[in-house]
Amino acid sequence: MTSQISVPGRDAPDTPRMTAARIHAHGGPEVLTVDRVPVPEPAAGHVRVRVTAAALNNTDLWTREGAYGIRGDHPSPAGWIGPIDFPRVQGGDAAGVVDAVGEAVHDSLIGARVVVDPATYDGPGDHALPARILGSEYDGAYAEYVVVAADAVHRVDSSPLDDAQLAALPIAYGTAMGMIERGGIASGDTIVVTGASGGVGIALVQLGVARGAEVIAICSAGKADGVRDAGATHIVDRAGDAWAHVGRIAPDGVAAVLDVVAGTNVRAGVPHLRPGGRWVVAGALGGHDIDIDVRTLYLRNLSIVGSTMHTRPHFRALIDLARNGAVRPLIAQTFPLTEVHRAQEELGSRRHVGKLVLLPGGGA
C-alpha cells in the first residue's frame, strides 16, 4: 500500500504543510528525520485526524522488515505484508480529533474525539486478523495529521482519559486485550504475566485486574513498584527462580500465563498451568525457540495459543473500557513531536515503566 500523503501542487508555495517524523530506509532512529510535508487529504471513505497524541512502541525503533523478517515481497512469519514504501511516517498509536472527511463519510464525525484502530484487517467480520498496520504499511501518527479509514476511528468524546492515555491504548493494550480474550481470562482466575513492566505487560496487568483476575507479575526488581501500582497482586523477581516462586504462590496451578518473553521461560512455566490451562504468547523477548515435553500438553489438556494484536471485537471491548475509564494507561513521559529522537532513545533504554507519548500539538 502506498503512502496516504498525497502531494498535489508539490512546488506550490501555498500548499498546506505539517510536521511529520519519517523513516527513509529500514532501520531505527538513525534513518528518522523530522520534515515539513504536505497535509494529507482524505479520500472517499476516509477521515483526517488532527493528532493530539501518538504513543511509541518497540516496533517504532525498526521497521516491520527488521522486526519480523520480511524479505522482499515474501510475507513474514508474523503475517505482515511487505515491502514497505519509503519515506514512511511512523506511529501506530493515535488519538485526536477528526477535522475533515472524505466522500461517503458523514460530516457529523467532524470534531469527534477519537482513538484510531491501527489495524487494517485481512477480511470482513469479527474473526478477521490484522494484516497491515498504521505507521508501517501506510503513513502513521508521528505527524500533526493522519488519514485513516472512517471505520478505524472510535469515538471517545466523554472518556475521562487524557489524550496521552488514549494514545497509549491501540497497540499495547489492543495486543493485551487480544491475549486476555484468547486466553479466556475470567473473574477469579489466577494468571501470570511475564515481562510485566513493558508496554504490553503493564497493559496485561491492568486489563487482567479489570477482568477480576488475581495477577502474578514477573518483572525486574527495579520496576516492581510501577507494576504493583498497575494492580498486580504478587510481584516475582525475574532474576531469581521465578517459576518456583510462582509455584509457592499458586500451588494448584494458574489458569493462564500471558507471555511476551517465551524462550526457556515456556519449558519452565508450562508445568505451573492447572489442568485445562492456557499459555498465550505474543512475543519472544527471551528467544523464539522453545523446548517442552508435549506429553504435558495432552495429558493435562493444556493449550498454547499464539496471539498477534487484536480483532475488531477485541478493540471495541478495549474502547468501551476507555470510555468509562475502567482502565487508565500509565504514562511515563511525554515529548513534543520535534523531540522524537530523544523519545526513541528513551524507549530503547527500557528505563521506564509505562508508555512514552509524543504530543504533535504541543499539549501537556
Side-chain angles (χ1 to χ4, degrees):
M1 182 178 294
T2 58
S3 169
Q4 289 178 328
I5 289 186
S6 58
V7 196
R10 179 188 298 269
D11 298 322
D14 59 348
T15 299
R17 291 185 175 270
M18 67 177 183
T19 301
R22 304 189 298 173
I23 52 173
H24 296 262
H26 292 296
E30 75 281 356
V31 296
L32 177 68
T33 61
V34 178
D35 305 317
R36 293 291 291 173
V37 301
V39 173
E41 293 296 331
H46 288 67
V47 301
R48 185 174 66 207
V49 175
R50 176 173 57 81
V51 180
T52 55
L56 278 72
N57 292 284
N58 285 335
T59 48
D60 295 332
L61 297 178
W62 55 79
T63 64
R64 294 275 180 243
E65 180 166 84
Y68 296 110
I70 295 174
R71 293 295 179 266
D73 294 326
H74 299 289
S76 73
W80 307 124
I81 298 173
I84 298 169
D85 293 330
F86 296 108
R88 169 67 70 235
V89 179
Q90 288 190 293
D93 283 338
V97 177
V98 175
D99 88 321
V101 299
E103 293 181 12
V105 181
H106 200 280
D107 61 11
S108 62
L109 264 181
I110 295 176
R113 188 183 188 212
V114 297
V115 174
V116 177
D117 183 347
T120 297
Y121 297 89
D122 62 4
D126 287 350
H127 300 291
L129 299 174
R132 294 177 175 88
I133 305 300
L134 185 70
S136 177
E137 283 73 28
Y138 51 102
D139 284 338
Y142 280 16
E144 294 177 282
Y145 296 91
V146 64
V147 167
V148 297
D151 61 5
V153 297
H154 294 255
R155 297 189 72 146
V156 288
D157 301 277
S158 61
S159 173
L161 303 186
D162 63 29
D163 291 344
Q165 290 172 317
L166 290 170
L169 291 170
I171 290 182
Y173 284 75
T175 296
M177 181 61 83
M179 296 174 75
I180 292 279
E181 294 289 352
R182 291 175 178 126
I185 308 305
S187 180
D189 282 346
T190 298
I191 65 174
V192 173
V193 173
T194 70
S197 64
V200 175
I202 284 287
L204 286 167
V205 171
Q206 291 186 306
L207 292 175
V209 170
R211 187 62 62 95
E214 179 177 322
V215 178
I216 303 170
I218 300 177
C219 65
S220 62
K223 297 181 178 179
D225 288 345
V227 176
R228 188 176 289 108
D229 289 344
T233 310
H234 305 277
I235 304 293
V236 174
D237 187 351
R238 72 179 189 187
D241 192 345
W243 289 104
H245 195 177
V246 169
R248 290 190 289 272
I249 296 169
D252 296 327
V254 300
V257 174
L258 306 179
D259 182 28
V260 296
V261 177
T264 58
N265 200 51
V266 181
R267 184 177 184 88
V270 161
H272 293 277
L273 290 172
R274 73 187 187 195
R278 290 85 61 198
W279 189 287
V280 185
V281 60
L285 296 173
H288 51 77
D289 291 325
I290 63 172
D291 174 21
I292 62 172
D293 185 338
V294 71
R295 294 170 296 182
T296 305
L297 296 181
Y298 66 75
L299 291 175
R300 300 176 63 200
N301 292 295
L302 305 179
S303 301
I304 295 181
V305 180
S307 182
T308 295
M309 293 189 67
H310 52 265
T311 63
R312 291 183 177 97
H314 297 162
F315 199 80
R316 291 195 295 266
L318 177 63
I319 294 300
D320 284 342
L321 292 177
R323 289 188 180 117
N324 61 32
V327 62
R328 292 176 178 266
L330 301 182
I331 305 302
Q333 193 172 355
T334 62
F335 303 82
L337 178 60
T338 52
E339 295 185 15
V340 61
H341 289 89
R342 186 164 71 89
Q344 288 197 341
E345 287 170 3
E346 181 62 26
L347 180 65
S349 76
R350 304 191 187 282
R351 293 186 296 257
H352 57 283
V353 175
K355 295 291 286 183
L356 304 175
V357 180
L358 297 172
L359 302 176

PDB file of all heavy atoms in Angstrom, residues 1-6 83-88 132 136-139 147:
ATOM      1  N   MET A   1       0.845  -1.184   0.000  1.00  0.00           N
ATOM      2  CA  MET A   1       0.000   0.000   0.000  1.00  0.00           C
ATOM      3  C   MET A   1       0.881   1.235   0.000  1.00  0.00           C
ATOM      4  O   MET A   1       1.820   1.328   0.778  1.00  0.00           O
ATOM      5  CB  MET A   1      -0.910  -0.010   1.235  1.00  0.00           C
ATOM      6  CG  MET A   1      -1.875   1.168   1.292  1.00  0.00           C
ATOM      7  SD  MET A   1      -2.958   1.070   2.740  1.00  0.00           S
ATOM      8  CE  MET A   1      -3.910  -0.380   2.334  1.00  0.00           C
ATOM      9  N   THR A   2       0.564   2.178  -0.855  1.00  0.00           N
ATOM     10  CA  THR A   2       1.385   3.372  -0.946  1.00  0.00           C
ATOM     11  C   THR A   2       1.036   4.359   0.152  1.00  0.00           C
ATOM     12  O   THR A   2       0.004   4.255   0.802  1.00  0.00           O
ATOM     13  CB  THR A   2       1.201   4.048  -2.308  1.00  0.00           C
ATOM     14  OG1 THR A   2      -0.173   4.361  -2.474  1.00  0.00           O
ATOM     15  CG2 THR A   2       1.670   3.136  -3.431  1.00  0.00           C
ATOM     16  N   SER A   3       1.903   5.341   0.322  1.00  0.00           N
ATOM     17  CA  SER A   3       1.698   6.375   1.328  1.00  0.00           C
ATOM     18  C   SER A   3       0.383   7.100   1.097  1.00  0.00           C
ATOM     19  O   SER A   3      -0.024   7.360  -0.024  1.00  0.00           O
ATOM     20  CB  SER A   3       2.855   7.377   1.277  1.00  0.00           C
ATOM     21  OG  SER A   3       2.555   8.506   2.050  1.00  0.00           O
ATOM     22  N   GLN A   4      -0.300   7.453   2.202  1.00  0.00           N
ATOM     23  CA  GLN A   4      -1.547   8.193   2.087  1.00  0.00           C
ATOM     24  C   GLN A   4      -1.320   9.684   1.973  1.00  0.00           C
ATOM     25  O   GLN A   4      -2.273  10.439   1.813  1.00  0.00           O
ATOM     26  CB  GLN A   4      -2.436   7.907   3.303  1.00  0.00           C
ATOM     27  CG  GLN A   4      -2.999   6.488   3.288  1.00  0.00           C
ATOM     28  CD  GLN A   4      -3.826   6.232   4.508  1.00  0.00           C
ATOM     29  OE1 GLN A   4      -3.556   6.767   5.569  1.00  0.00           O
ATOM     30  NE2 GLN A   4      -4.823   5.389   4.385  1.00  0.00           N
ATOM     31  N   ILE A   5      -0.078  10.149   2.106  1.00  0.00           N
ATOM     32  CA  ILE A   5       0.170  11.579   1.950  1.00  0.00           C
ATOM     33  C   ILE A   5       0.288  11.894   0.466  1.00  0.00           C
ATOM     34  O   ILE A   5       1.230  11.481  -0.192  1.00  0.00           O
ATOM     35  CB  ILE A   5       1.428  12.030   2.705  1.00  0.00           C
ATOM     36  CG1 ILE A   5       1.156  11.989   4.206  1.00  0.00           C
ATOM     37  CG2 ILE A   5       1.861  13.417   2.292  1.00  0.00           C
ATOM     38  CD1 ILE A   5       2.249  12.541   5.058  1.00  0.00           C
ATOM     39  N   SER A   6      -0.721  12.591  -0.038  1.00  0.00           N
ATOM     40  CA  SER A   6      -0.689  12.992  -1.442  1.00  0.00           C
ATOM     41  C   SER A   6       0.033  14.329  -1.542  1.00  0.00           C
ATOM     42  O   SER A   6       0.131  15.073  -0.585  1.00  0.00           O
ATOM     43  CB  SER A   6      -2.116  13.110  -1.993  1.00  0.00           C
ATOM     44  OG  SER A   6      -2.847  14.034  -1.222  1.00  0.00           O
ATOM     45  N   PRO A  83       6.831  -5.270   0.476  1.00  0.00           N
ATOM     46  CA  PRO A  83       7.769  -4.401   1.185  1.00  0.00           C
ATOM     47  C   PRO A  83       7.123  -3.099   1.618  1.00  0.00           C
ATOM     48  O   PRO A  83       5.974  -2.823   1.274  1.00  0.00           O
ATOM     49  CB  PRO A  83       8.848  -4.151   0.125  1.00  0.00           C
ATOM     50  CG  PRO A  83       8.076  -4.195  -1.170  1.00  0.00           C
ATOM     51  CD  PRO A  83       7.020  -5.254  -0.979  1.00  0.00           C
ATOM     52  N   ILE A  84       7.869  -2.294   2.372  1.00  0.00           N
ATOM     53  CA  ILE A  84       7.376  -1.017   2.870  1.00  0.00           C
ATOM     54  C   ILE A  84       7.872   0.096   1.952  1.00  0.00           C
ATOM     55  O   ILE A  84       9.019   0.097   1.527  1.00  0.00           O
ATOM     56  CB  ILE A  84       7.873  -0.792   4.309  1.00  0.00           C
ATOM     57  CG1 ILE A  84       7.311  -1.891   5.227  1.00  0.00           C
ATOM     58  CG2 ILE A  84       7.487   0.587   4.821  1.00  0.00           C
ATOM     59  CD1 ILE A  84       7.937  -1.907   6.599  1.00  0.00           C
ATOM     60  N   ASP A  85       6.987   1.029   1.654  1.00  0.00           N
ATOM     61  CA  ASP A  85       7.378   2.181   0.834  1.00  0.00           C
ATOM     62  C   ASP A  85       8.022   3.247   1.710  1.00  0.00           C
ATOM     63  O   ASP A  85       7.590   3.488   2.834  1.00  0.00           O
ATOM     64  CB  ASP A  85       6.151   2.778   0.138  1.00  0.00           C
ATOM     65  CG  ASP A  85       5.550   1.847  -0.898  1.00  0.00           C
ATOM     66  OD1 ASP A  85       6.318   1.067  -1.485  1.00  0.00           O
ATOM     67  OD2 ASP A  85       4.331   1.893  -1.106  1.00  0.00           O
ATOM     68  N   PHE A  86       9.055   3.889   1.175  1.00  0.00           N
ATOM     69  CA  PHE A  86       9.727   4.973   1.882  1.00  0.00           C
ATOM     70  C   PHE A  86       9.640   6.246   1.053  1.00  0.00           C
ATOM     71  O   PHE A  86       9.593   6.182  -0.182  1.00  0.00           O
ATOM     72  CB  PHE A  86      11.197   4.603   2.138  1.00  0.00           C
ATOM     73  CG  PHE A  86      11.363   3.417   3.050  1.00  0.00           C
ATOM     74  CD1 PHE A  86      11.787   2.195   2.549  1.00  0.00           C
ATOM     75  CD2 PHE A  86      11.084   3.524   4.402  1.00  0.00           C
ATOM     76  CE1 PHE A  86      11.940   1.107   3.380  1.00  0.00           C
ATOM     77  CE2 PHE A  86      11.228   2.426   5.244  1.00  0.00           C
ATOM     78  CZ  PHE A  86      11.660   1.219   4.737  1.00  0.00           C
ATOM     79  N   PRO A  87       9.674   7.417   1.701  1.00  0.00           N
ATOM     80  CA  PRO A  87       9.695   7.594   3.156  1.00  0.00           C
ATOM     81  C   PRO A  87       8.354   7.220   3.768  1.00  0.00           C
ATOM     82  O   PRO A  87       7.322   7.272   3.094  1.00  0.00           O
ATOM     83  CB  PRO A  87       9.990   9.079   3.332  1.00  0.00           C
ATOM     84  CG  PRO A  87       9.474   9.718   2.093  1.00  0.00           C
ATOM     85  CD  PRO A  87       9.712   8.718   0.992  1.00  0.00           C
ATOM     86  N   ARG A  88       8.385   6.867   5.044  1.00  0.00           N
ATOM     87  CA  ARG A  88       7.185   6.444   5.753  1.00  0.00           C
ATOM     88  C   ARG A  88       7.061   7.213   7.057  1.00  0.00           C
ATOM     89  O   ARG A  88       8.017   7.306   7.829  1.00  0.00           O
ATOM     90  CB  ARG A  88       7.261   4.937   6.049  1.00  0.00           C
ATOM     91  CG  ARG A  88       6.207   4.415   7.001  1.00  0.00           C
ATOM     92  CD  ARG A  88       4.803   4.484   6.403  1.00  0.00           C
ATOM     93  NE  ARG A  88       4.630   3.530   5.340  1.00  0.00           N
ATOM     94  CZ  ARG A  88       4.229   3.850   4.105  1.00  0.00           C
ATOM     95  NH1 ARG A  88       3.967   5.100   3.805  1.00  0.00           N
ATOM     96  NH2 ARG A  88       4.093   2.944   3.180  1.00  0.00           N
ATOM     97  N   ARG A 132      -2.171  -5.216   7.921  1.00  0.00           N
ATOM     98  CA  ARG A 132      -1.347  -4.028   7.712  1.00  0.00           C
ATOM     99  C   ARG A 132      -1.538  -3.110   8.911  1.00  0.00           C
ATOM    100  O   ARG A 132      -2.616  -3.065   9.504  1.00  0.00           O
ATOM    101  CB  ARG A 132      -1.743  -3.296   6.421  1.00  0.00           C
ATOM    102  CG  ARG A 132      -1.468  -4.096   5.156  1.00  0.00           C
ATOM    103  CD  ARG A 132      -1.946  -3.326   3.924  1.00  0.00           C
ATOM    104  NE  ARG A 132      -1.594  -4.005   2.690  1.00  0.00           N
ATOM    105  CZ  ARG A 132      -2.340  -4.926   2.101  1.00  0.00           C
ATOM    106  NH1 ARG A 132      -3.493  -5.293   2.656  1.00  0.00           N
ATOM    107  NH2 ARG A 132      -1.956  -5.506   0.980  1.00  0.00           N
ATOM    108  N   SER A 136       3.351   1.595   9.448  1.00  0.00           N
ATOM    109  CA  SER A 136       4.245   0.605   8.836  1.00  0.00           C
ATOM    110  C   SER A 136       3.899   0.479   7.355  1.00  0.00           C
ATOM    111  O   SER A 136       4.616   0.970   6.496  1.00  0.00           O
ATOM    112  CB  SER A 136       4.124  -0.750   9.531  1.00  0.00           C
ATOM    113  OG  SER A 136       4.923  -1.715   8.891  1.00  0.00           O
ATOM    114  N   GLU A 137       2.774  -0.152   7.064  1.00  0.00           N
ATOM    115  CA  GLU A 137       2.374  -0.304   5.677  1.00  0.00           C
ATOM    116  C   GLU A 137       1.724   0.962   5.110  1.00  0.00           C
ATOM    117  O   GLU A 137       1.557   1.096   3.901  1.00  0.00           O
ATOM    118  CB  GLU A 137       1.429  -1.495   5.508  1.00  0.00           C
ATOM    119  CG  GLU A 137       2.133  -2.848   5.538  1.00  0.00           C
ATOM    120  CD  GLU A 137       2.594  -3.248   6.927  1.00  0.00           C
ATOM    121  OE1 GLU A 137       1.976  -2.828   7.935  1.00  0.00           O
ATOM    122  OE2 GLU A 137       3.584  -3.995   7.017  1.00  0.00           O
ATOM    123  N   TYR A 138       1.307   1.867   5.961  1.00  0.00           N
ATOM    124  CA  TYR A 138       0.824   3.168   5.499  1.00  0.00           C
ATOM    125  C   TYR A 138       1.129   4.207   6.564  1.00  0.00           C
ATOM    126  O   TYR A 138       1.418   3.885   7.711  1.00  0.00           O
ATOM    127  CB  TYR A 138      -0.657   3.144   5.126  1.00  0.00           C
ATOM    128  CG  TYR A 138      -1.594   2.554   6.160  1.00  0.00           C
ATOM    129  CD1 TYR A 138      -2.364   3.377   6.972  1.00  0.00           C
ATOM    130  CD2 TYR A 138      -1.735   1.172   6.301  1.00  0.00           C
ATOM    131  CE1 TYR A 138      -3.229   2.848   7.906  1.00  0.00           C
ATOM    132  CE2 TYR A 138      -2.606   0.637   7.229  1.00  0.00           C
ATOM    133  CZ  TYR A 138      -3.360   1.469   8.033  1.00  0.00           C
ATOM    134  OH  TYR A 138      -4.214   0.945   8.957  1.00  0.00           O
ATOM    135  N   ASP A 139       1.096   5.481   6.142  1.00  0.00           N
ATOM    136  CA  ASP A 139       1.607   6.552   6.993  1.00  0.00           C
ATOM    137  C   ASP A 139       0.844   6.660   8.306  1.00  0.00           C
ATOM    138  O   ASP A 139      -0.387   6.555   8.349  1.00  0.00           O
ATOM    139  CB  ASP A 139       1.553   7.888   6.258  1.00  0.00           C
ATOM    140  CG  ASP A 139       2.656   8.006   5.226  1.00  0.00           C
ATOM    141  OD1 ASP A 139       3.667   7.303   5.362  1.00  0.00           O
ATOM    142  OD2 ASP A 139       2.506   8.811   4.286  1.00  0.00           O
ATOM    143  N   VAL A 147      -4.368  10.408   7.980  1.00  0.00           N
ATOM    144  CA  VAL A 147      -5.573   9.978   7.279  1.00  0.00           C
ATOM    145  C   VAL A 147      -5.758   8.475   7.477  1.00  0.00           C
ATOM    146  O   VAL A 147      -4.818   7.696   7.282  1.00  0.00           O
ATOM    147  CB  VAL A 147      -5.486  10.318   5.776  1.00  0.00           C
ATOM    148  CG1 VAL A 147      -6.586   9.606   4.993  1.00  0.00           C
ATOM    149  CG2 VAL A 147      -5.587  11.822   5.569  1.00  0.00           C
TER     150      VAL A 147
END
